[in-house]
Amino acid sequence: MSSSSNRQLNFWLMGTVAAALVIVGAALALAAQALIAVDAAGGDSRDYVATVRISALKSEDGAVRVALQDQDEDGAWGERQHPRLDTVGTSARTGVWLNSSLLVVSVAATASTMPDVHAEATSGDEQPLFCIVSHGGRDDFFWRLVRGYSRQAALDAGSNVRFSQSPDGAQQAAAIQRCSDDGAAVIASTLADPDAVRDALLAAKEAGARIITFNSGADAAESVGSELHIALDEAAAGRLVGEEFNRRGLTGNIGCLLHEVGNVGLEQRCDALAETYTGGETFRINLPVGDPEAVQEAVEARLLDADQPELAGLLTLNADTLLATLRGVIATADQMGHDVQIAGIGQNAKLDTIDLADRRRHLALVISHAGETQGYLITAALNYIHTYPAPASFISSTTILRATPFSFDAKVIQADDSRAAEVLRRVAERLALGDEYLDE
């Protein structure tokens, strides 16, 4: 495979690799929580006490080796368990506490004293209901990708997940209420408009559901009762675009294209771009909702409007807008007198339908939207929150994953490489999986 093909493969699979790494890290972290149990429904702490003792053995040269023993119900001491770092050598500094590597202790408990959360999570028809409620258009490329990876995670874990989606805040709140009425164990929600869903989420929490959040609205997560939030770092994405335009020496005004007016995450991207870009002014441009042809027409009209400040560049904030904007820029290129440069947050598999020369002329850079990662991890988080206690640090600072955005070299995603067809086929399969994953 050529180096271009390898880079193209990385372009589509980076989110999947990130998901795997984070999940492995989460699994390791859970091992350290073996001495803690929490009532998954209400979050009430319960103490399960293990009787343990520390053994120490001093060698002839003065080094000390330590081990841990636990006592069973009959009072007998078990085998000594040695952590990987179990020895204090003679050269150790005086007056300094030293820590061993982690050592997990299994706490004995009867079925009557400890809830069998794993059995509850995998008991066929008795599986707990998990709900995901999001904003956004159902046909939006980003959300189709999120749903596809979410569905894959649900299949991998054998989870009972209901995915509801609407661009209307009132409908999102109604979906949250339905989930609560149906006894959902955990509800995950986006916070594009926190005020629209806050009351519904707090009511669901009061009724017994646990709440997690993702995507837009990280700063509002704690106010809706969320125990953790998974998202792209929205402001960092906007800053990265500004820094890249500055580095490339672009001068002139930039239009920040808002496809969802009022979405706090999108506003953060535009704000950060305006704070970072030094080559000119930044203007917000509101776009029609959900109609690619109308978006293209709006972009063309704005570029050719002699009564508005001229634009040297455009920032698109999702994959569908990127495609429509690129077509609009190409359609007006001969009338503009200069090449308008486009930066996009969110890639689109249909970019290969645009002529390669036009892509190279107008597409400056694309920023990862972390759709794959968000989709998979939020579904994994449903299982995690239901099964394990959320550490207090999560609750006091709910954003545990604020993914750092990164840019793709435009030459990579513009490559006319037939080997990329296999990658695109796999993406299409994941999109199709997500298309079957909506609660009507």
Side-chain angles (χ1 to χ4, degrees), residues 14 26-27 55 57 64 67 73 133 138 229 257 261 291 303 306 388 402:
M14 186 69 75
S55 300
L57 177 67
V64 177
E73 295 179 353
V133 179
R138 295 187 171 204
H229 188 93
L257 304 180
V261 178
D291 184 349
L303 290 174
Y388 298 98
R402 197 189 293 260

Short mmCIF file of all heavy atoms in Angstrom, two decimals, residues 14 26-27 55 57 64 67 73 133 138 229 257 261 291 303 306 388 402:
data_model
loop_
_atom_site.label_atom_id
_atom_site.label_comp_id
_atom_site.label_asym_id
_atom_site.label_seq_id
_atom_site.Cartn_x
_atom_site.Cartn_y
_atom_site.Cartn_z
N MET A 14 -8.74 6.92 12.50
CA MET A 14 -8.12 7.50 13.69
C MET A 14 -9.09 7.51 14.86
O MET A 14 -8.71 7.21 15.99
CB MET A 14 -7.66 8.93 13.40
CG MET A 14 -6.88 9.56 14.53
SD MET A 14 -5.27 8.78 14.77
CE MET A 14 -4.39 9.47 13.36
N ALA A 26 -9.92 2.76 30.26
CA ALA A 26 -11.03 2.71 31.21
C ALA A 26 -11.08 1.35 31.91
O ALA A 26 -11.35 1.25 33.10
CB ALA A 26 -12.35 2.98 30.49
N ALA A 27 -10.82 0.27 31.16
CA ALA A 27 -10.83 -1.05 31.76
C ALA A 27 -9.78 -1.18 32.85
O ALA A 27 -10.01 -1.77 33.91
CB ALA A 27 -10.61 -2.11 30.68
N SER A 55 2.11 -7.97 55.01
CA SER A 55 3.26 -8.75 55.47
C SER A 55 4.53 -8.12 54.94
O SER A 55 4.55 -7.58 53.83
CB SER A 55 3.16 -10.20 54.97
OG SER A 55 1.97 -10.82 55.45
N LEU A 57 8.94 -8.75 54.74
CA LEU A 57 10.08 -9.65 54.93
C LEU A 57 11.36 -8.90 54.65
O LEU A 57 11.55 -8.35 53.56
CB LEU A 57 9.96 -10.85 53.98
CG LEU A 57 11.12 -11.85 54.01
CD1 LEU A 57 11.16 -12.58 55.36
CD2 LEU A 57 11.00 -12.85 52.86
N VAL A 64 13.51 -4.68 52.11
CA VAL A 64 12.25 -5.14 52.67
C VAL A 64 11.27 -5.43 51.53
O VAL A 64 11.05 -4.57 50.67
CB VAL A 64 11.65 -4.10 53.63
CG1 VAL A 64 10.29 -4.56 54.15
CG2 VAL A 64 12.60 -3.86 54.80
N ALA A 67 3.92 -7.76 51.04
CA ALA A 67 2.85 -8.52 50.38
C ALA A 67 1.55 -8.23 51.11
O ALA A 67 1.54 -7.67 52.21
CB ALA A 67 3.17 -10.01 50.40
N GLU A 73 -13.98 -15.91 55.19
CA GLU A 73 -15.05 -15.88 56.18
C GLU A 73 -14.77 -16.76 57.38
O GLU A 73 -15.33 -16.56 58.46
CB GLU A 73 -16.37 -16.30 55.51
CG GLU A 73 -16.85 -15.32 54.44
CD GLU A 73 -18.14 -15.78 53.78
OE1 GLU A 73 -18.57 -16.91 54.07
OE2 GLU A 73 -18.70 -15.01 52.98
N VAL A 133 -30.24 10.57 23.32
CA VAL A 133 -31.10 11.60 22.72
C VAL A 133 -30.18 12.68 22.17
O VAL A 133 -29.39 13.26 22.91
CB VAL A 133 -32.08 12.18 23.74
CG1 VAL A 133 -32.94 13.26 23.08
CG2 VAL A 133 -32.96 11.08 24.34
N ARG A 138 -31.31 13.93 10.89
CA ARG A 138 -31.15 12.48 10.79
C ARG A 138 -30.28 12.08 9.62
O ARG A 138 -29.60 11.04 9.66
CB ARG A 138 -32.52 11.81 10.67
CG ARG A 138 -33.38 11.97 11.92
CD ARG A 138 -34.64 11.15 11.84
NE ARG A 138 -35.35 11.16 13.12
CZ ARG A 138 -36.20 10.22 13.50
NH1 ARG A 138 -36.47 9.23 12.69
NH2 ARG A 138 -36.80 10.29 14.68
N HIS A 229 -19.19 13.84 30.60
CA HIS A 229 -19.47 14.43 29.29
C HIS A 229 -18.35 14.05 28.34
O HIS A 229 -17.17 14.14 28.69
CB HIS A 229 -19.56 15.96 29.40
CG HIS A 229 -20.03 16.63 28.15
ND1 HIS A 229 -21.35 16.92 27.89
CD2 HIS A 229 -19.35 17.04 27.05
CE1 HIS A 229 -21.46 17.49 26.70
NE2 HIS A 229 -20.26 17.57 26.17
N LEU A 257 -19.70 29.55 9.00
CA LEU A 257 -21.02 29.15 8.52
C LEU A 257 -21.75 28.32 9.56
O LEU A 257 -21.37 27.18 9.86
CB LEU A 257 -20.87 28.34 7.22
CG LEU A 257 -20.10 29.05 6.10
CD1 LEU A 257 -20.03 28.16 4.86
CD2 LEU A 257 -20.74 30.38 5.75
N VAL A 261 -28.36 27.38 14.09
CA VAL A 261 -28.32 28.63 14.84
C VAL A 261 -28.70 28.34 16.29
O VAL A 261 -29.69 27.66 16.57
CB VAL A 261 -29.28 29.66 14.23
CG1 VAL A 261 -29.28 30.95 15.05
CG2 VAL A 261 -28.89 29.94 12.78
N ASP A 291 -31.09 21.41 4.02
CA ASP A 291 -31.25 21.33 2.57
C ASP A 291 -29.93 21.71 1.91
O ASP A 291 -29.59 22.89 1.81
CB ASP A 291 -32.37 22.28 2.13
CG ASP A 291 -32.65 22.19 0.62
OD1 ASP A 291 -31.85 21.54 -0.10
OD2 ASP A 291 -33.67 22.75 0.18
N LEU A 303 -21.22 35.08 -1.27
CA LEU A 303 -19.94 35.36 -1.91
C LEU A 303 -20.08 36.46 -2.97
O LEU A 303 -19.16 37.27 -3.16
CB LEU A 303 -19.38 34.09 -2.55
CG LEU A 303 -18.87 33.01 -1.58
CD1 LEU A 303 -18.49 31.76 -2.36
CD2 LEU A 303 -17.68 33.51 -0.76
N ALA A 306 -22.33 42.17 -3.32
CA ALA A 306 -21.42 43.32 -3.35
C ALA A 306 -21.63 44.26 -2.16
O ALA A 306 -20.76 45.08 -1.86
CB ALA A 306 -21.60 44.09 -4.66
N TYR A 388 -20.78 0.69 37.12
CA TYR A 388 -19.76 1.10 38.09
C TYR A 388 -20.09 2.49 38.65
O TYR A 388 -20.76 3.29 38.01
CB TYR A 388 -18.38 1.14 37.42
CG TYR A 388 -17.93 -0.20 36.91
CD1 TYR A 388 -18.09 -0.54 35.57
CD2 TYR A 388 -17.37 -1.13 37.77
CE1 TYR A 388 -17.69 -1.77 35.09
CE2 TYR A 388 -16.96 -2.37 37.30
CZ TYR A 388 -17.12 -2.68 35.96
OH TYR A 388 -16.74 -3.90 35.50
N ARG A 402 -12.51 15.50 26.48
CA ARG A 402 -12.68 16.66 25.61
C ARG A 402 -11.62 16.51 24.54
O ARG A 402 -10.50 16.99 24.66
CB ARG A 402 -12.50 17.96 26.40
CG ARG A 402 -13.06 19.19 25.67
CD ARG A 402 -12.67 20.47 26.38
NE ARG A 402 -13.28 20.62 27.67
CZ ARG A 402 -14.35 21.38 27.92
NH1 ARG A 402 -14.93 22.04 26.94
NH2 ARG A 402 -14.84 21.48 29.13
#
